[in-house]
Amino acid sequence: MANLENLRLHLDGLAVRGAGYLRRYALKNAVEKAMGHVHIVALIVPLAFVVIALADRFAGTQVWVLNPILTVLLALVVPIVYILLAAVFGFVSRKVSRNFALALFDRELGYKDRLQAADEFLNSSSLSEFESAAVADAIPYAEKATNTRLQDIKIAAPAIYTTKWGHGVVAVVFLVAGILVQLIAFNPNLEANPVPEELVALNTVEDLVFEEETVEAPMESEDETQSPPQNVSTDRTGEGAVLESQESKSQDSALRKANPSDSDPSESMQVGLSGGASQDNKAGSSSSSLSGEGDPEKKQQESKEPPKDRENKEKKERPDEDEPGDESAKGIAGGKGSGSGRQSSSAEMTENTSRPLENDFDTGVDLESDDEEDEKQEATSAARPMINQRKPPVDRQLSPSGMVGQEEDERANGRGGAGARKKTRGVAAMLLGVPMPDQLRSQVSPGRVKIQRERSVPHPSQVASVDSKDRGSIDESIGKVAHHELKPWMRNVVSNYFTSMRRKPTEEGE
Amino acid sequence: MAEQATTNVDSRAAEQAAHFKSVFQDIRTEVTKMMVGQPTVVDGVLTALVAGGHVLLEGVPGLGKTMLVRCLSDAVSVKFSRIQFTPDMMPADIQGTMVLTETASGAHELSFQEGPLIANLILADEINRATPKTQSALLEAMQERQVTVGNRTLTLEEPYCVMATQNPVEQEGTYPLPEAQLDRFLFKLLVDYPEENEYYEIIDRTTGTEEVEINHITDGAEIVKLREIARAVAVPTTAKTYAIRLVMATQPNSAYATDKTNAYVSLGSSPRGVQGLMLAAKVQAILNDRFSISTDDIKAVAYPVLRHRVILNFQAQASNVTPDSIIDDILEQVKLPRSVD
């Protein structure tokens, strides 16, 4: 009894200790899990800081009220608070029962559930022999467990890997970027070089046109002055850029006049332009018309020009035409020249497309010729005598025997002899159950199911002819017919039957 | 006084457990005189015998399956019969039939001629070669411990143990055992090839001039006593819970079914699986000097008890998933009761 009480005390103590271990384990486990996500939490504040700082800068608001130092502190504090909250939640939410705590000792010390079983059997009212033995068996193990300090429960290493530290670096970058956004002025050039009034006067649609012509400008500058085209794109804010933009706009309008079919909404906007601009438009139209390849005036001018200049011009123009990215430039400044270029390219296209067609046709012809050659080969192979078997060549006649106008040939078995695969024409269709090879290679058609028509050759049978003279006359007696003699009672039955049959019609007649 | 009574009870249980273990060890020693290696198979067969179950031995020919059972019957000294199943064997050939006999007075009468099924230890060799009709004749004998021929029912004598063998390779012309019959086997043991060092022992024992003689260690009545001892082993709730979870984990779409079970198992274990786990674990507990079973005992017998009760679907067969791999996954996934993990 004392042993049992001692065991109960030991088990109580072990349960308390086990519960403590498990709570600590729960705490560690919760921290471990929180550490697994903390790298994401650490990104929240810096990311929000950068986004809000940028929004403040562009919108001119002041949503982010913290100064950079407080922001850095907040970025450090949030992950720590997250870990603490997770740890507290994990610690509180973990329920530790008595059996749970004893199972910990059983597992850690390798007692094979002895403590759990003894604790359960101790609380039961009646014990069997083996249950009592199990309880008694657990006493030394409980004492041993009481005197043993349980090692710390092994938990996995914090799930922070080297790659996840990258999130911390990103967080620092975000913080620095946000601070820079707040501290450093955004674009001082805008304030130093104010936009000219002429440029401000332009509406947005013309701005779009200006952007388009910045691509076109180098071509004309090369044609006229051989100057590098960088000035156009770089000096956007300067006066030169404004003038060039006006020139280019006038050229564009001239092009639109030259091509009235091109409907552009910007035409309505050009109504309000000044007279100088309209003059420029005229000049631009003349220059652009000269540049057109399909224009007769230009052809005349080209004919007047020396051949070297023409070659140089062609060389200059070809690369521009060949550039795939300058489609807008072609469409604007090329004018009809681009149209002729398209024609030539379309001609080339037709040539190119016609070539494959021809090739296809050639390949089709080649296929047909191949087929013919195959047929020839098959025919020749069929006609060849089978030397190794010492037989005449196999006849390929496919007609069944007995047809009118054709001689019966037993060799006409429809087999082409040794050679390539048979085609579907005729031969395989006559054979039942033979998968017909399709025209496509490596594909076997299952073939049609047909009722097999056997090719039966009638064999004549020699029968002696019967002469009519040998036949007797109809009136002649056939002689005696062998028959069994009936018994008297059967004779009576038969005679009675026939006599009764004869009587009936006579009686009906009467 | 109560403590003394408890101590007496403890000592009696300890004596029973010690007796159980010593008899078990002696039988094992005698069997291993002839049987080289295969300790898992030998222990499994002995465990099934003392737990009151039947065993299905699966292995290629020549691995000593038949010899193992024959040695066991010699060591236990019970009535042994061997049935070599063939496709043309009829139920009457194994159960027995009524034959016309002549009495002493010269008269004729019908008397029942017992078949080989009426014995204590049955070796059903190549059971999958018999037709389902004949296989089903074994069902009643294995589960109900009785044989019915005509209107006559014979109760079979305990211990009654069927040890069936089947060859996994030659499946042509065989009739796979139906699930109902597979479920009646407590264990399915896989007999594998011996280890390299065991071949030397096989050569020495079987090709020499000396003949190994198997001594009678115990008899049928002793085996029945051992069964009672095994059934008396205490079972804590933890072990029950774990066994139930394991069996439920083999059933697709159950509460404890793993992903692999849901994907590959078409039919899981029946409640006979839990019974088998408990009985076999009890024997394991006594052999491990314990009076109550633990979850480790259940784990130890999970493979032979559950592998033939897990019926795989076509997808599993196509993916080469075996029942043992399913049990592997279940043992890994199913948590112990009150586990700290």
Side-chain angles (χ1 to χ4, degrees):
Chain A
M1 196 67 184
N3 282 337
L4 294 180
E5 284 303 318
N6 277 339
L7 176 63
R8 206 181 294 273
L9 288 173
H10 282 305
L11 291 177
D12 290 344
L14 289 173
V16 172
R17 280 177 57 199
Y21 281 120
L22 285 173
R23 286 208 180 87
R24 262 181 279 166
Y25 170 76
L27 188 67
K28 285 182 182 176
N29 203 16
V31 170
E32 177 196 357
K33 283 184 180 174
M35 293 288 277
H37 303 123
V38 74
H39 58 279
I40 297 169
V41 177
L43 280 176
I44 293 172
V45 174
L47 190 62
F49 178 49
V50 170
V51 171
I52 294 171
L54 284 171
D56 285 348
R57 171 58 60 185
F58 284 111
T61 57
Q62 191 66 30
V63 178
W64 191 268
V65 293
L66 298 176
N67 61 17
I69 297 170
L70 284 175
T71 304
V72 172
L73 284 175
L74 183 66
L76 291 174
V77 165
V78 166
I80 296 168
V81 170
Y82 169 74
I83 292 170
L84 287 175
L85 285 176
V88 169
F89 180 75
F91 185 77
V92 171
S93 63
R94 190 81 182 222
K95 293 178 182 176
V96 180
S97 66
R98 179 184 174 87
N99 286 329
F100 202 96
L102 291 174
L104 175 67
F105 283 93
D106 276 335
R107 194 197 75 169
E108 292 295 313
L109 301 175
Y111 287 168
K112 306 282 183 188
D113 301 341
R114 280 188 171 91
L115 300 179
Q116 288 180 82
D119 190 54
E120 182 184 336
F121 297 148
L122 270 178
N123 295 326
S124 60
S125 56
S126 61
L127 294 179
S128 66
E129 292 180 4
F130 273 81
E131 285 173 347
S132 301
V135 170
D137 184 43
I139 292 171
Y141 289 95
E143 290 173 354
K144 195 176 173 184
T146 307
N147 298 325
T148 305
R149 185 180 178 278
L150 204 61
Q151 296 294 321
D152 288 337
I153 303 169
K154 292 175 184 174
I155 62 172
I160 294 178
Y161 302 105
T162 318
T163 52
K164 290 184 179 178
W165 286 108
H167 291 81
V169 175
V170 172
V172 171
V173 169
F174 280 156
L175 277 175
V176 172
I179 292 167
L180 287 175
V181 166
Q182 277 194 338
L183 296 179
I184 301 172
F186 182 62
N187 192 355
N189 290 331
L190 282 174
E191 295 175 3
N193 298 324
V195 180
E197 292 180 3
E198 295 85 356
L199 194 59
V200 174
L202 296 174
N203 53 32
T204 54
V205 178
E206 288 169 350
D207 286 340
L208 288 173
V209 174
F210 166 76
E211 286 179 5
E212 285 177 352
E213 295 203 40
T214 53
V215 183
E216 172 55 26
M219 287 180 62
E220 294 195 345
S221 62
E222 281 180 4
D223 290 340
E224 292 172 3
T225 61
Q226 300 292 328
S227 62
Q230 292 89 324
N231 295 332
V232 179
S233 58
T234 52
D235 289 337
R236 281 187 180 181
T237 55
E239 294 179 1
V242 176
L243 291 172
E244 282 185 10
S245 68
Q246 289 175 353
E247 285 177 6
S248 59
K249 270 185 284 181
S250 63
Q251 288 172 3
D252 186 36
S253 61
L255 279 174
R256 280 194 213 97
K257 284 177 184 175
N259 296 324
S261 60
D262 295 334
S263 62
D264 195 347
S266 63
E267 284 182 2
S268 60
M269 307 298 289
Q270 289 176 353
V271 175
L273 287 175
S274 62
S278 62
Q279 286 177 358
D280 289 340
N281 284 344
K282 288 175 185 174
S285 65
S286 63
S287 65
S288 64
S289 64
L290 285 174
S291 65
E293 197 176 343
D295 199 353
E297 291 179 8
K298 190 184 177 186
K299 284 180 180 175
Q300 290 176 2
Q301 192 175 356
E302 282 178 359
S303 62
K304 290 174 185 176
E305 283 177 4
K308 284 184 179 179
D309 293 339
R310 203 184 305 165
E311 284 176 6
N312 290 332
K313 213 168 191 177
E314 284 176 2
K315 281 180 184 176
K316 285 173 188 173
E317 286 175 2
R318 276 174 190 169
D320 292 335
E321 289 176 0
D322 293 336
E323 282 179 9
D326 280 343
E327 288 181 4
S328 60
K330 284 179 190 174
I332 295 167
K336 292 180 181 176
S338 66
S340 64
R342 277 179 192 168
Q343 281 179 357
S344 63
S345 63
S346 63
E348 287 178 4
M349 284 287 286
T350 51
E351 285 179 6
N352 289 330
T353 49
S354 64
R355 276 175 197 161
L357 285 173
E358 287 173 5
N359 291 334
D360 288 342
F361 181 73
D362 290 338
T363 52
V365 169
D366 291 338
L367 284 172
E368 284 185 4
S369 63
D370 288 345
D371 289 342
E372 287 175 5
E373 285 178 8
D374 289 341
E375 286 177 7
K376 284 177 185 175
Q377 284 179 358
E378 285 180 9
T380 52
S381 65
R384 281 177 194 161
M386 294 184 282
I387 297 169
N388 53 354
Q389 297 178 5
R390 295 185 177 178
K391 286 183 181 177
V394 176
D395 193 354
R396 297 191 66 197
Q397 183 185 357
L398 305 177
S399 60
S401 64
M403 291 185 70
V404 180
Q406 291 184 0
E407 290 182 4
E408 179 182 343
D409 190 357
E410 289 186 356
R411 294 174 298 167
N413 55 3
R415 298 183 178 181
R421 291 187 305 167
K422 308 301 175 294
K423 291 190 175 179
T424 55
R425 284 201 292 265
V427 179
M430 295 177 68
L431 299 172
L432 253 193
V434 177
M436 287 190 299
D438 204 343
Q439 284 293 341
L440 293 172
R441 293 183 185 278
S442 304
Q443 285 189 355
V444 178
S445 164
R448 287 175 290 175
V449 177
K450 278 190 172 183
I451 299 168
Q452 184 171 11
R453 189 171 67 178
E454 286 190 0
R455 194 171 138 272
S456 60
V457 180
H459 297 287
S461 58
Q462 297 294 330
V463 179
S465 59
V466 179
D467 197 353
S468 61
K469 293 177 183 177
D470 299 336
R471 214 182 293 157
S473 63
I474 298 173
D475 302 334
E476 195 174 343
S477 169
I478 59 169
K480 287 185 178 180
V481 178
H483 66 277
H484 295 287
E485 195 72 22
L486 292 175
K487 290 180 180 177
W489 65 270
M490 290 178 72
R491 241 181 289 162
N492 291 334
V493 168
V494 172
S495 65
N496 291 336
Y497 174 74
F498 283 107
T499 50
S500 64
M501 289 289 288
R502 285 185 181 180
R503 269 180 206 161
K504 279 181 183 174
T506 54
E507 287 173 3
E508 285 173 4
E510 289 174 355
Chain B
M1 187 66 184
E3 187 182 1
Q4 191 177 0
T6 308
T7 312
N8 290 336
V9 169
D10 295 349
S11 62
R12 203 186 312 156
E15 284 174 9
Q16 288 177 349
H19 176 68
F20 182 98
K21 194 173 177 183
S22 71
V23 173
F24 193 96
Q25 296 281 13
D26 291 344
I27 297 173
R28 184 197 284 161
T29 307
E30 284 302 313
V31 170
T32 50
K33 275 184 183 175
M34 195 70 189
M35 188 77 186
V36 180
Q38 312 283 2
T40 314
V41 178
V42 172
D43 285 351
V45 168
L46 288 177
T47 302
L49 178 67
V50 295
H54 310 287
V55 183
L56 178 63
L57 294 162
E58 187 174 284
V60 294
L63 296 181
K65 301 185 292 288
T66 308
M67 191 188 67
L68 169 66
V69 181
R70 189 178 286 279
C71 294
L72 185 63
S73 68
D74 288 343
V76 175
S77 181
V78 291
K79 190 179 176 186
F80 171 77
S81 67
R82 175 184 172 176
I83 308 168
Q84 181 69 45
F85 280 96
T86 54
D88 58 349
M89 188 169 276
M90 300 303 288
D93 296 335
I94 59 171
Q95 288 179 329
T97 186
M98 303 296 284
V99 293
L100 193 65
T101 56
E102 189 174 353
T103 60
S105 61
H108 290 83
E109 63 175 15
L110 282 170
S111 63
F112 181 71
Q113 184 71 39
E114 293 177 350
L117 208 57
I118 298 168
N120 295 113
L121 194 58
I122 316 293
L123 172 59
D125 224 351
E126 299 202 73
I127 190 173
N128 56 342
R129 295 210 174 275
T131 58
K133 188 177 181 180
T134 310
Q135 288 174 1
S136 64
L138 275 172
L139 291 178
E140 186 186 8
M142 290 171 70
Q143 186 61 32
E144 310 295 333
R145 286 353 193 226
Q146 65 182 27
V147 172
T148 303
V149 180
N151 55 359
R152 185 183 185 128
T153 301
L154 291 174
T155 304
L156 299 170
E157 187 184 352
E158 289 290 343
Y160 186 77
C161 182
V162 174
M163 298 197 177
T165 68
Q166 68 176 10
N167 182 358
V169 179
E170 297 170 4
Q171 296 295 324
E172 198 172 342
T174 61
Y175 302 91
L177 292 175
E179 284 77 15
Q181 191 162 354
L182 280 174
D183 203 23
R184 281 165 168 76
F185 288 101
L186 175 68
F187 280 172
K188 179 182 179 183
L189 299 169
L190 303 180
V191 187
D192 206 351
Y193 286 106
E195 301 292 329
E196 184 183 357
N197 56 347
E198 292 168 355
Y199 278 97
Y200 296 102
E201 197 72 21
I202 290 170
I203 292 168
D204 293 342
R205 286 191 196 179
T206 55
T207 59
T209 54
E210 291 183 4
E211 286 190 4
V212 179
E213 192 174 336
I214 306 292
N215 299 319
H216 296 303
I217 300 298
T218 182
D219 53 4
E222 187 74 34
I223 296 294
V224 174
K225 280 184 187 173
L226 294 182
R227 286 183 180 178
E228 290 172 359
I229 292 170
R231 283 177 174 269
V233 171
V235 182
T237 311
T238 310
K240 285 180 193 169
T241 309
Y242 187 59
I244 291 167
R245 286 184 185 179
L246 282 187
V247 168
M248 287 184 71
T250 63
Q251 300 161 357
N253 304 319
S254 68
Y256 296 98
T258 63
D259 293 340
K260 213 169 179 179
T261 301
N262 289 330
Y264 295 125
V265 177
S266 64
L267 190 68
S269 170
S270 69
R272 281 203 189 100
V274 182
Q275 295 171 355
L277 282 175
M278 279 296 125
L279 285 172
K282 284 179 175 184
V283 175
Q284 287 292 313
I286 297 178
L287 295 177
N288 291 324
D289 297 326
R290 272 183 279 108
F291 302 99
S292 64
I293 65 176
S294 73
T295 51
D296 288 347
D297 298 327
I298 294 170
K299 278 183 185 174
V301 296
Y303 289 97
V305 170
L306 294 178
R307 69 162 60 103
H308 57 290
R309 294 183 164 91
V310 174
I311 310 299
L312 302 178
N313 56 18
F314 175 75
Q315 194 181 353
Q317 292 170 19
S319 308
N320 282 333
V321 175
T322 59
D324 282 14
S325 66
I326 298 285
I327 297 168
D328 273 334
D329 186 56
I330 288 171
L331 290 175
E332 192 178 338
Q333 300 277 334
V334 174
K335 290 183 177 178
L336 294 169
R338 307 185 200 102
S339 170
V340 294
D341 295 326

